[in-house]
Amino acid sequence: MPSDQTQDPNSHAFPTKQLTILAICRFSEPIAFNSILAYTYVMVRDLHGGDDTDASFYAGLLVSAYAVAEALTAIGWGALSDRYGRKPVVLFGLGGVAVSSLIFGLATEYWVALLARFIGGALNGNVAVMQTMVAEMVKNPEHEPKAYATQPFVWTLGGIIGSAMGGFLAQPAIFYPSLFPADGLFGRYPYLLPNLVSVVVIVLAIIQGMLFLEETNPRDSEASHETVFEDDDEPIDERTPLHSRKRRRSSARRGSWATIDRPVFVEESLPVPMEQNFDLRRSSFGTVRSIRLPPSATTDDENFQGRAYNFTIIMVTTALVLISFHQMGFCTLLPTHLLDKPAAPPGEIDLIGGLGYTVHDVGVYLAINGILGLFIQAIIFPIFVDYVGVWKSFVFSIVLYPLAYVVMPFLSAWPPALESTGIYLSLTLQSLFGIIVIPCALILLKDATPSPLMLGKVNGLAMSACCLARTISPPLVGIIYSAGGSAAAWWSCAGVAVVGTVQLFWVPRKHVQAVVGDNGTAARRRTMSNPRNEEAGTCPPVLE
C-alpha cells in the first residue's frame, strides 16, 4: 500500500519534518569522515613506531580506502534499497560507519586501521540512497532547489564540527593529562575518543531514524514499479529506482544501467570542505544557495540517436577531473604539511619538511576552513556568479587556482606572526575557487548535453571520472611528499592546476540563459548555444 504521506492531500507541502530527520542522519556522517583528517598523519606515524617514512602515502591510503570500498558495493546497496526499502539501507549504512569508526579508534596496527576504513565503505550504501530519498520526499517540483540545498549545508556543518572534534579530541592523554592518564584507556588508544564521540552521534542518528524516518520507496507497490519501467525509453531522473531487473535486462545491449544511466557518486566519504554530490538531471544545482536552471534548450526528442559525448562534454569533464585531483590533494596535503616536523631551522625556506603544528592547531584550521566554505557558498558564490556570469566565473577560478598552492612551500621563511595569515590565505583561495568553479562547470556540462535523455550518461561520465581523480589523489600526492618533500607535493598540485589553465584553450565557450538563485536574483542573460551547432562547426555570437 502507498504510505499515508502519498495519500495525504497536504503531501505536496514542503517536507520539513522528514528532511530534518534525514538531515540528522546526514549530519552524523561527515563528523566521522572529517574527524580523521586532523590526525591521520600522526596516527600513521604512531602506528609505525614513530617512523615517518612514507607516512604521507599511508595516510593518503587511509583517506581513500573508504571511497574505494564504497565504489565496489554502492550499486548493490542501491539494489537492496529498491527491494527492501531506503530506510533500512540508510540505517544499516550508518551502523557500518559506527562500526568502522570504533575499529579505527581501537587500531594498534596500520592494517587494522586500513581494514576498518575499507569495512566502513563496504557497509555504507548511503551515498545514492539519501539523494534518492530527498527526491522522493519532494512532491512539488518548486520545492526541489530548497530541499537539495539543505544537504550541502548539513554536510558542510558536520564537516566543520568533525574537523574540530578530530583535532581537539585526538591524543587526549597528551593534551588533557589531568583528565586522561597516560596508562588509561585513552592513553593506550590515543585516537579512540574522537571516534567514540562519532559513534555516539551516529547511534543517536540511527535511533531517531528508526523512530521517525518514513520509508519513501513503498515495498508493496510492485505494480507501480512495473508501470514506471514498462517503457525502456522513458527518461530516468533522480526519482527513478536505483536498480531494476527489468531495466537491467533491457539495458544489457547498451551497457550497465547502474553505472551509466543511474550512476552512483561515491566520493562523499572523502573529507572535502563541501559536499561534492551532483546530478545533472535536476532542475537546480545546490551549494548552500541553490541555483535554478532555465528550461533546457536541448532537444526533447524521445528517439534521439545522436552522440551523448560531444567535444564540449569531454573538455568540461576533463577540466572537472583536473580540479578534483588537485582539490583533493590540497585537502589531504594541508594537514600533513602542518603536522610534519620541520627539516630546516626557523626562518629559513624549508622545501622538505613541514611546519610542526599540533593536531589541535590542525583541527582549528580545518574547522575555520569549513566556516569559510559555508560563508562563500551562502554569500560570495551567488553574488559573484550573478555579477560575473557563469563562463567568466569558470575561467576566472581555473586561471587563478594555482595561486592557492604557491604560498604554502614558503611559509617556513615567513615571520611566525604571519604564518597563520599565509595558511588562511591559502585556505580562502582554495575554498573560493573550488566552490565557484564546480557548479559553473556543471552548468556548462548540462548546457552541452545534446538531449535530456543523455543526461544520465553524461552525469555518469563526469561523476565517475571526478570520483576516480579524488580517490587516487591522496596516496599519489603522499608519494610525492615522501619522495620529494613538501614543496614538491605542493608544486605537483599547482602543476595540475596550471595544466587545467592550459586546457581551457580547448574548452568551447558556452553560454547559458539566466541562472536564478533561491533568493530570486538572476544573472544577466546569455545566449544558450546548441551543442549541435558545435558539431556542425558553427557557433552563436558571443555576447560576453
Side-chain angles (χ1 to χ4, degrees):
M1 283 184 63
S3 65
D4 293 340
Q5 185 181 9
T6 59
Q7 293 178 344
D8 188 353
N10 295 323
S11 62
H12 289 275
F14 189 78
T16 303
K17 179 181 177 181
Q18 285 302 301
L19 281 175
T20 302
I21 295 168
L22 187 65
I24 294 173
C25 295
R26 185 77 170 133
F27 174 78
S28 65
E29 291 190 312
I31 288 180
F33 295 151
N34 285 50
S35 67
I36 75 165
L37 198 59
Y39 60 80
T40 302
Y41 178 79
V42 292
M43 180 182 184
V44 169
R45 192 171 60 194
D46 290 348
L47 293 178
H48 287 165
D51 183 10
D52 59 0
T53 304
D54 296 330
S56 56
F57 165 68
Y58 291 115
L61 281 183
L62 285 181
V63 172
S64 296
Y66 198 106
V68 173
E70 203 168 25
L72 297 175
T73 60
I75 293 176
W77 287 117
L80 288 175
S81 76
D82 284 336
R83 184 177 180 86
Y84 299 107
R86 317 289 189 215
K87 179 177 176 177
V89 170
V90 166
L91 299 181
F92 189 86
L94 291 176
V97 177
V99 171
S100 169
S101 298
L102 188 60
I103 298 175
F104 189 79
L106 292 170
T108 56
E109 299 287 342
Y110 176 79
W111 69 266
V112 176
L114 187 64
L115 180 64
R117 293 283 293 167
F118 195 86
I119 290 174
L123 294 179
N124 185 12
N126 289 349
V127 174
V129 179
M130 282 191 179
Q131 174 187 348
T132 303
M133 288 188 75
V134 173
E136 292 170 341
M137 289 176 182
V138 178
K139 308 301 180 183
N140 186 347
E142 294 297 318
H143 294 156
E144 286 185 3
K146 183 178 178 181
Y148 286 128
T150 61
Q151 299 300 300
F153 173 77
V154 169
W155 178 268
T156 305
L157 185 62
I160 294 170
I161 296 175
S163 298
M165 186 183 73
F168 282 94
L169 298 185
Q171 299 177 327
I174 296 177
F175 294 100
Y176 315 109
S178 60
L179 297 176
F180 304 98
D183 57 351
L185 176 65
F186 297 106
R188 295 193 302 271
Y189 303 101
Y191 306 102
L192 174 60
L193 185 57
N195 287 281
L196 202 57
V197 173
S198 297
V199 170
V200 172
V201 174
I202 293 170
V203 169
L204 292 177
I206 293 174
I207 293 173
Q208 65 91 34
M210 292 175 62
L211 295 176
F212 305 115
L213 186 62
E214 297 177 2
E215 177 58 62
T216 61
N217 182 29
R219 290 165 298 220
D220 298 330
S221 185
E222 296 293 337
S224 65
H225 284 186
E226 290 299 320
T227 302
V228 169
F229 290 105
E230 186 172 347
D231 184 1
D232 256 0
D233 294 328
E234 183 175 345
I236 301 168
D237 61 17
E238 61 269 18
R239 292 183 178 81
T240 304
L242 300 176
H243 180 272
S244 172
R245 292 179 182 175
K246 188 168 184 178
R247 180 167 291 280
R248 184 172 161 182
R249 288 196 304 267
S250 64
S251 301
R253 63 184 177 272
R254 299 186 277 119
S256 171
W257 173 85
T259 57
I260 297 179
D261 284 317
R262 183 69 172 123
V264 178
F265 197 40
V266 297
E267 66 179 14
E268 293 180 352
S269 54
L270 297 172
V272 289
M274 63 175 288
E275 186 190 48
Q276 299 297 315
N277 199 358
F278 61 81
D279 193 329
L280 296 177
R281 291 159 292 191
R282 297 177 185 170
S283 61
S284 65
F285 294 127
T287 56
V288 171
R289 302 291 283 275
S290 185
I291 306 173
R292 186 191 299 274
L293 296 180
S296 175
T298 55
T299 176
D300 290 321
D301 183 8
E302 295 184 1
N303 298 316
F304 178 78
Q305 299 295 328
R307 292 184 301 159
Y309 309 122
N310 55 44
F311 183 73
T312 299
I313 288 174
I314 298 299
M315 290 297 101
V316 175
T317 300
T318 301
L320 275 170
V321 168
L322 295 172
I323 294 165
S324 299
F325 181 91
H326 61 73
Q327 183 185 64
M328 192 65 220
F330 178 93
C331 293
T332 54
L333 182 56
L334 177 68
T336 298
H337 188 208
L338 295 180
L339 291 167
D340 194 14
K341 299 174 182 178
E348 296 184 8
I349 295 179
D350 187 354
L351 302 181
I352 304 299
L355 298 176
Y357 284 86
T358 67
V359 291
H360 277 195
D361 300 322
V362 175
V364 171
Y365 283 121
L366 294 180
I368 292 178
N369 185 40
I371 295 173
L372 282 172
L374 203 60
F375 174 77
I376 293 171
Q377 290 180 60
I379 306 298
I380 303 298
F381 172 79
I383 296 175
F384 186 89
V385 176
D386 175 53
Y387 182 78
V388 177
V390 172
W391 171 256
K392 289 182 180 179
S393 297
F394 175 73
V395 172
F396 165 85
S397 300
I398 291 180
V399 170
L400 297 182
Y401 221 137
L403 296 178
Y405 307 111
V406 298
V407 174
M408 295 301 296
F410 305 103
L411 283 182
S412 58
W414 288 32
L418 295 179
E419 268 192 3
S420 292
T421 302
I423 295 172
Y424 286 128
L425 174 62
S426 184
L427 289 173
T428 301
L429 293 177
Q430 170 66 220
S431 295
L432 177 65
F433 300 145
I435 289 171
I436 289 176
V437 72
I438 290 179
C440 291
L442 299 180
I443 293 171
L444 297 176
L445 198 61
K446 186 168 186 176
D447 177 35
T449 305
S451 167
L453 300 179
M454 298 294 106
L455 285 175
K457 292 183 178 181
V458 174
N459 199 62
L461 173 69
M463 290 195 302
S464 300
C466 290
C467 183
L468 178 63
R470 286 194 173 96
T471 302
I472 66 175
S473 177
L476 186 56
V477 172
I479 292 175
I480 298 173
Y481 191 102
S482 298
S486 56
W490 285 115
W491 289 335
S492 70
C493 291
V496 175
V498 170
V499 171
T501 300
V502 175
Q503 191 257 348
L504 273 177
F505 288 101
W506 286 271
V507 180
R509 184 166 181 170
K510 308 291 291 182
H511 298 275
V512 297
Q513 291 175 338
V515 176
V516 182
D518 61 1
N519 60 351
T521 61
R524 290 168 293 174
R525 184 164 297 273
R526 297 155 185 86
T527 61
M528 171 82 81
S529 60
N530 192 322
R532 290 188 172 183
N533 292 338
E534 168 203 328
E535 295 180 358
T538 62
C539 295
V542 174
L543 299 182
E544 291 188 7

